[in-house]
Amino acid sequence: MTDPGPDWHPRLVALDIDGTLLRWVAGLGMSHEEVTPAVHDAVQRVLDSGAHVVLSSGRAPHNMTMVADMLDLHGHGERLWIVAANGAVVLRYPPAEVVHEVTFDARPAVAAVLEQHPEALVAVEERGIGYRVSGPFPDGELGGTTIVADVEDMVAEPVSRVIIRDPNATAEDFVTLAANLGLQGTDYVVGWTAWLDLAPVGVSKASGLEYVAQQLGVDRADVLAIGDGRNDIEMLQWAGRGVAMGQAVDEVKAIADAVTDSVEDDGAAVEIGRWFPVAGSGGMEA
C-alpha cells in the first residue's frame, strides 16, 4: 500500500519507541526519555479519533509502560495493548498484565555466540524488576535494576528473549556473526550497535501485532506502522502501510512503503498527521 487512496484510514497505529517516538542521545545506545509536543499531540489525535495506538518495541515491558505514561495513552476508555521484547511478550496496561508470551530454549544459541565473542555481555529480563546480566552493560542501555548472574543460570529455563552485547564490536560484526552461525531454532535481530536480540523462531513485532489485531478485530490492511530499526522490518512489511523513519538504515527504508522525516524532525508526527490531521489543516499532504 505505497500510495493508499484518499478513503483509507488507519484503525490501528503501531509505533516503535526508540528512534521513532524518542530521540537518540548522540553517540550512546539510549534515548532521551522525553516526548516532543508534536509527537504527543499526534498520538492524542489518533486516540481521539477512536483508532488504537499500540507501542511495539524491543524494550522490556516495564520500560514501555513509562513511555505510555509520557504519551498519556491511557484514559481513553480501554486498557492499552503493548507489544514488548520484539513481539515475545504482549501485555495490557494499566495495570501491567502479561496476556501472551512465547519462550524458547536459548542455551544452544547463546553458547554459539559466546564461542565467537567470549567477552560479550548477556542479559535476560527479570520480569517487573529489570535484568539479570553477566556483567555491567554500558550506562543507560538497560532500564530497571540489574542483577549479576551466571549465564548458565540465566538460560537454564526457557526465556522470551536474550540480549547479547559486545561493546568492543560493531553492528556489522554482529550482522555477519548471526548470518554465519545460522542459529537454528532461534530468530535474531541486530540493533544499531553490537547488540543482538535472540528470540523464539517466528516471533517478531509483526507476530505480536498480529495477536493484538486479532483480539481487536482489526485487519492488517488497516494498520499503520512506523519504525526505524532492523527489528521493525517484519512489522513494516506486515502492516497495511509501513513507514520508515528518515534516519533508518537503508535495509529498513528499502522494505518500507514510504519514508518520513527523521526522529529529530518529528517524523512520526508528520506521518500520523497525514491520516489524523490537526483540525482545519486538511491532512494528506504530499
Side-chain angles (χ1 to χ4, degrees):
M1 192 188 292
T2 301
D3 185 19
D7 295 331
W8 185 74
H9 197 72
R11 294 183 58 205
L12 188 157
V13 178
L15 298 169
D16 170 52
I17 291 178
D18 302 293
T20 299
L21 296 175
L22 303 183
R23 301 176 181 185
W24 290 109
V25 177
L28 299 176
M30 59 185 292
S31 296
H32 290 283
E33 296 295 322
E34 181 180 16
V35 174
T36 67
V39 170
H40 179 278
D41 292 350
V43 169
Q44 289 300 307
R45 293 197 302 274
V46 177
L47 295 171
D48 290 342
S49 77
H52 302 280
V53 172
V54 178
L55 298 180
S56 182
S57 172
R59 288 186 176 209
H62 68 275
N63 286 335
M64 296 181 67
T65 55
M66 58 188 291
V67 179
D69 293 341
M70 287 191 290
L71 287 164
D72 295 319
L73 290 182
H74 31 68
H76 286 73
E78 66 173 31
R79 296 166 71 198
L80 300 175
W81 290 88
I82 294 177
V83 174
N86 287 325
V89 179
V90 176
L91 63 148
R92 304 295 304 275
Y93 178 75
E97 176 194 6
V98 173
V99 296
H100 178 69
E101 182 173 17
V102 183
T103 61
F104 73 117
D105 180 359
R107 291 173 297 178
V110 170
V113 174
L114 291 181
E115 184 176 353
Q116 299 297 317
H117 287 259
E119 302 302 317
L121 303 167
V122 180
V124 172
E125 183 191 350
E126 186 78 359
R127 183 67 53 74
I129 299 174
Y131 294 89
R132 286 182 290 163
V133 299
S134 61
F137 271 59
D139 288 345
E141 290 193 354
L142 292 177
T145 300
T146 56
I147 303 167
V148 176
D150 291 332
V151 172
E152 289 186 3
D153 292 338
M154 292 160 57
V155 297
E157 300 294 331
V159 296
S160 56
R161 178 179 65 148
V162 176
I163 299 167
I164 299 182
R165 175 77 165 95
D166 188 346
N168 298 314
T170 66
E172 290 70 27
D173 292 337
F174 267 26
V175 169
T176 301
L177 166 72
N180 290 341
L181 287 178
L183 299 179
Q184 292 186 357
T186 304
D187 274 353
Y188 66 89
V189 63
V190 178
W192 287 91
T193 59
W195 175 295
L196 182 68
D197 279 327
L198 301 175
V201 168
V203 170
S204 67
K205 292 186 182 185
S207 66
L209 286 167
E210 177 68 33
Y211 176 88
V212 173
Q214 289 177 354
Q215 306 307 306
L216 293 173
V218 173
D219 191 275
R220 59 188 285 190
D222 297 320
V223 175
L224 167 65
I226 309 174
D228 73 316
R230 294 182 181 90
N231 62 335
D232 293 310
I233 288 176
E234 293 88 351
M235 174 177 78
L236 300 187
Q237 292 174 317
W238 171 84
R241 178 172 171 84
V243 177
M245 298 294 291
Q247 83 284 353
V249 293
D250 289 342
E251 59 197 279
V252 177
K253 292 179 179 178
I255 58 86
D257 294 312
V259 178
T260 186
D261 294 345
S262 73
V263 67
E264 296 295 332
D265 295 316
D266 291 326
V270 171
E271 173 62 22
I272 291 171
R274 295 191 63 191
W275 317 105
F276 303 90
V278 176
S281 68
M284 284 296 294
E285 61 268 22

